[in-house]
Amino acid sequence: MIKRFRFGTPLPTESVVLDLPLCEEAVPFLQGTPACFTYLLGEDDLVFGLGESIRGINKRGWHYVSFCSDDPNHTEDKTSLYGAHNFLLVDGAAGRFGLFWDYAGRVEFDVGYTRRDLLQITPADENYDLYVITGESDVEIVRAFRGLIGKSYIPPKWAFGYGQSRWSYPTEADVRAVARGHRENGIPLDSIYLDIDYMKDYRDFTVDPEKFPDLQALAAELAQDHIHLVPIIDAGVKIEPGDPTYESGKAGGYFCKNAQGEDFVGAVWPGLVHFPDFFQKEARRWFGERYQTLVDQGIEGFWNDMNEPAIFYTPGRLRAVLDELSACQSIDLNLDQFFALKDKLLGLSNNLEDYRSIYHQVEGQMVCHEQVHNLYGANMTRAAGETFEALYPDHRMLFFSRASCIGAHRYGGIWYGDNQSWWSHLAMNLKMLPSANMCGFLFSGADLGGFGSSATEDLLLRWLQLGVFTPLMRNHCAMGNRAQEAYQFSEAPAMAKILGIRYGLLPYLYSEFVKAALADDMLFRPMHFDYPDDPHAAQVEDQLMLGEGLMIAPVLEQNATGRYVYLPEPMKLIRMRSTDDYDQEVLPAGHHYVPVGLRELIFFIRPGCVVPLTQAAMSVEEIDSEHLTLLHFVEQGTGSYVLYDDDGYTRDYQAPDHYRTLTVSV
């Protein structure tokens, strides 16, 4: 059951797709007022949700701020990341319910941080809709919430292949070298990502004619080998007379304003920019149609970045700081003066006062950006998603974004932003997956190997072993760090085999993804969701249920040659080194230490379940989905699996011939 409560006069978010009646009764479960609701937590209560956030699957014990933030340092003391996902699920002896704050401004979630037994939710103002969702199980509550917010985005099938990215591959020669490095070393690859250096002076929807003299020919050349180019698009539009995007945006009045009604000016990669006002329907259509300039050159996918929006500085703030620096040249700075100056320098980027200087046109009224901050990146993805659905109603495009909020899941996926090559971030990748799924983001993943710092061979191998199961499987790293392409390492042969397992399992992984999207289910689930009466399962934070039949338990620690695993019921352990080299063993319920060599991965099959496996392939296009081996844990009688498969491009998901039943008899 879903109940909707309204406070004040909310701004429209369009995060939900169901128009439910308003309830006049008191809000159940919660105490307090719309300015701050509270709930008394029991000793063993669990709290799930909040999508893209740090720390554990169970969110209890920390405070989180829903405010899309451009912060690459995802350390344990942070409260905000790139996404703002205002859904919580409380599971305890006194009640089981979900809460969704349909609100575009800042929300603080104190989940037992100030007081361990107290949940406190504090929005920035009292103008929002609150949805309270009840059900017989956590799975039922999440399914009801997902039905409220609409179907999840489904990308083309090739997007489930392995992708290689770096900031940057700045020339055609670099891109060709990456493609060649993978193919010559027998490493599967479906996409190469272009970061900002492919652009002319970092301007959106341009291509540098010296670095990429013929992007269309390059895209066509790579397509012959089933490799797709995926360029980046940023939110800021360079202020440059003569640039088509700038000129058309200026002429249409499509840019955000300042308090005086002039186009707001900030700065990012290309220098001074205007930001499109994605809250205007016409502005979304204008910006979405700009992607066509690259689609016409053979591009079928994009990743949207810098759309919190990230702001390096504003001219006025930079001028004030430079004046202060100039005045300090001959001053003997004491401690207070030095740190005050340092704070001013650090405060140049993503300054809250600058955000308060931006105004949007929302349904005919000018609204301060601070009130709708969390919707900005989502509406950038929506701009592309809506436009291409209108222009190509039967064709799927790849879209994923850095900034997001609930509702954006209908138009594209997300990646978890600029992580680091740390073992702790490998574990964080695992824990974000079910939380993001609860909020509708099924197509998601982290930068495999880590974006910042330099990955070691064993870290990349272990991260690829987790990445085998994540829908978005992209290796991405930053300039100045160790080259992170698999073929750069002595363990390249082992990495090639691990990546081959991804392609071997893709019939199952793709099938489970699409079925979850169509049924408003989660692809990844905490173990507690499947085993709610098992107190041990509630404590497990490093294993996940995946689809109908799998449990994954990757190795997450440096130098580990195995790991402890908890099985709530007997399961079959599959230990794989390649699609042709694997062992099977039935383990009883209980706690186990399972050896896992550096060059192998493990997963578990639940009783009665069947998992199709095919041979490794160099691309999704080359996967043989007809000749399948059926991994299973069927000890007697029959077991079956309903396999979903389609052409990978069109949107006709309901056709009966997309489904076939695979049966095992023992």
Side-chain angles (χ1 to χ4, degrees), residues 229-477:
L229 282 178
V230 184
I232 195 170
I233 301 294
D234 287 337
V237 173
K238 170 73 171 173
I239 301 173
E240 184 165 311
D243 176 77
T245 304
Y246 168 74
E247 293 284 7
S248 57
K250 188 80 171 174
Y254 297 143
F255 295 126
C256 300
K257 306 300 181 185
N258 60 21
Q260 291 72 44
E262 303 162 333
D263 290 339
F264 176 84
V265 179
V268 282
W269 303 114
L272 297 182
V273 299
H274 293 320
F275 292 101
D277 186 0
F278 296 118
F279 293 87
Q280 299 180 45
K281 183 178 181 180
E282 289 302 318
R284 287 199 302 272
R285 181 181 293 116
W286 156 74
F287 196 83
E289 289 173 351
R290 297 300 304 158
Y291 287 86
Q292 189 68 43
T293 62
L294 293 169
V295 174
D296 289 342
Q297 298 180 67
I299 301 302
E300 296 181 284
F302 301 89
W303 50 307
N304 290 346
D305 196 14
M306 303 292 284
N307 52 352
E308 291 72 34
I311 302 176
F312 290 169
Y313 64 87
T314 55
R317 191 169 304 281
L318 178 61
R319 202 172 296 115
V321 171
L322 291 175
D323 288 345
E324 190 155 345
L325 278 171
S326 180
C328 290
Q329 290 185 54
S330 59
I331 294 177
D332 181 7
L333 299 178
N334 62 28
L335 181 145
D336 294 335
Q337 293 169 320
F338 171 75
F339 280 101
L341 185 61
K342 181 180 178 183
D343 288 343
K344 284 186 178 294
L345 286 169
L346 294 176
L348 275 173
S349 298
N350 306 319
N351 191 286
L352 290 179
E353 289 301 318
D354 290 335
Y355 284 141
R356 294 181 183 121
S357 302
I358 304 174
Y359 285 82
H360 303 280
Q361 190 179 117
V362 181
E363 294 195 342
Q365 60 176 316
M366 296 307 292
V367 174
C368 179
H369 175 84
E370 189 176 32
Q371 295 177 262
V372 292
H373 172 79
N374 291 333
L375 283 174
Y376 188 80
N379 275 300
M380 181 184 179
T381 301
R382 180 182 177 184
E386 283 180 334
T387 302
F388 279 108
E389 189 167 349
L391 294 175
Y392 305 102
D394 296 324
H395 188 77
R396 287 181 253 170
M397 300 285 289
L398 170 62
F399 283 107
F400 60 92
S401 171
R402 191 170 76 175
S404 65
C405 72
I406 291 171
H409 70 285
R410 301 194 297 269
Y411 305 102
I414 57 173
W415 96 101
Y416 304 145
D418 297 342
N419 59 359
Q420 302 288 326
S421 297
W422 300 340
W423 290 89
S424 62
H425 279 192
L426 169 57
M428 188 186 298
N429 182 177
L430 177 83
K431 295 173 184 180
M432 282 187 190
L433 289 164
S435 301
N437 278 194
M438 290 178 209
C439 298
F441 293 99
L442 298 187
F443 190 73
S444 68
D447 290 339
L448 303 180
F451 177 73
S453 308
S454 290
T456 59
E457 284 191 294
D458 57 340
L459 175 60
L460 182 56
L461 254 173
R462 293 302 193 194
W463 216 320
L464 291 175
Q465 290 161 20
L466 169 59
V468 161
F469 301 103
T470 64
L472 173 59
M473 190 186 191
R474 181 180 75 148
N475 179 337
H476 183 45
C477 68

Side-chain angles (χ1 to χ4, degrees), residues 9 14 27 36 92 94-95 131 166 207 223 268 270 309 343 444 481 510 524 537 573-574 586 623 637 663:
T9 308
E14 300 186 67
V27 178
C36 180
Y131 293 84
R166 184 177 174 86
V207 178
V268 282
D343 288 343
S444 68
N481 298 317
Y510 182 74
F524 295 96
L573 165 66
I574 309 294
V586 175
I623 290 176
T663 303

Side-chain angles (χ1 to χ4, degrees), residues 13 17 38 61 100 114 117 145 199 236 242 261 268 327 338 376 378-379 394 410 417 441 453 478 531 583:
T13 67
V17 297
T38 63
F100 172 50
T114 302
D117 64 346
F145 173 61
M199 302 177 188
V268 282
F338 171 75
Y376 188 80
N379 275 300
D394 296 324
R410 301 194 297 269
F441 293 99
S453 308
Y531 304 98
D583 307 314

Side-chain angles (χ1 to χ4, degrees), residues 376-625:
Y376 188 80
N379 275 300
M380 181 184 179
T381 301
R382 180 182 177 184
E386 283 180 334
T387 302
F388 279 108
E389 189 167 349
L391 294 175
Y392 305 102
D394 296 324
H395 188 77
R396 287 181 253 170
M397 300 285 289
L398 170 62
F399 283 107
F400 60 92
S401 171
R402 191 170 76 175
S404 65
C405 72
I406 291 171
H409 70 285
R410 301 194 297 269
Y411 305 102
I414 57 173
W415 96 101
Y416 304 145
D418 297 342
N419 59 359
Q420 302 288 326
S421 297
W422 300 340
W423 290 89
S424 62
H425 279 192
L426 169 57
M428 188 186 298
N429 182 177
L430 177 83
K431 295 173 184 180
M432 282 187 190
L433 289 164
S435 301
N437 278 194
M438 290 178 209
C439 298
F441 293 99
L442 298 187
F443 190 73
S444 68
D447 290 339
L448 303 180
F451 177 73
S453 308
S454 290
T456 59
E457 284 191 294
D458 57 340
L459 175 60
L460 182 56
L461 254 173
R462 293 302 193 194
W463 216 320
L464 291 175
Q465 290 161 20
L466 169 59
V468 161
F469 301 103
T470 64
L472 173 59
M473 190 186 191
R474 181 180 75 148
N475 179 337
H476 183 45
C477 68
M479 64 171 66
N481 298 317
R482 180 181 191 175
Q484 206 163 281
E485 299 82 14
Y487 57 79
Q488 305 280 5
F489 294 88
S490 64
E491 292 289 352
M495 293 180 188
K497 291 178 180 178
I498 293 298
L499 290 169
I501 295 172
R502 161 62 166 223
Y503 287 76
L505 286 172
L506 206 56
Y508 174 82
L509 297 172
Y510 182 74
S511 174
E512 289 300 297
F513 180 96
V514 177
K515 288 192 291 186
L518 297 179
D520 296 329
D521 279 330
M522 298 170 65
L523 182 65
F524 295 96
R525 301 178 303 280
M527 289 185 64
H528 175 71
F529 279 40
D530 287 43
Y531 304 98
D533 299 323
D534 187 330
H536 298 294
Q539 302 301 312
V540 176
E541 292 256 332
D542 58 356
Q543 302 168 209
L544 294 177
M545 311 309 297
L546 196 177
E548 176 185 315
L550 290 190
M551 184 185 77
I552 63 171
V555 175
L556 304 174
E557 296 183 2
Q558 184 175 6
N559 298 322
T561 56
R563 57 158 294 161
Y564 287 93
V565 174
Y566 174 66
L567 304 183
E569 60 182 337
M571 292 188 185
K572 179 175 278 190
L573 165 66
I574 309 294
R575 179 183 283 105
M576 300 194 84
R577 292 161 290 276
S578 73
T579 54
D580 295 316
D581 182 10
Y582 56 90
D583 307 314
Q584 307 180 59
E585 175 186 3
V586 175
L587 298 180
H591 297 273
H592 302 270
Y593 179 79
V594 179
V596 187
L598 180 62
R599 300 168 189 86
E600 60 187 13
L601 63 80
I602 61 169
F603 58 87
F604 296 82
I605 301 179
R606 302 180 69 177
C609 292
V610 177
V611 177
L613 174 73
T614 188
Q615 289 297 307
M618 296 302 290
S619 70
V620 170
E621 187 72 25
E622 299 170 274
I623 290 176
D624 181 359
S625 296

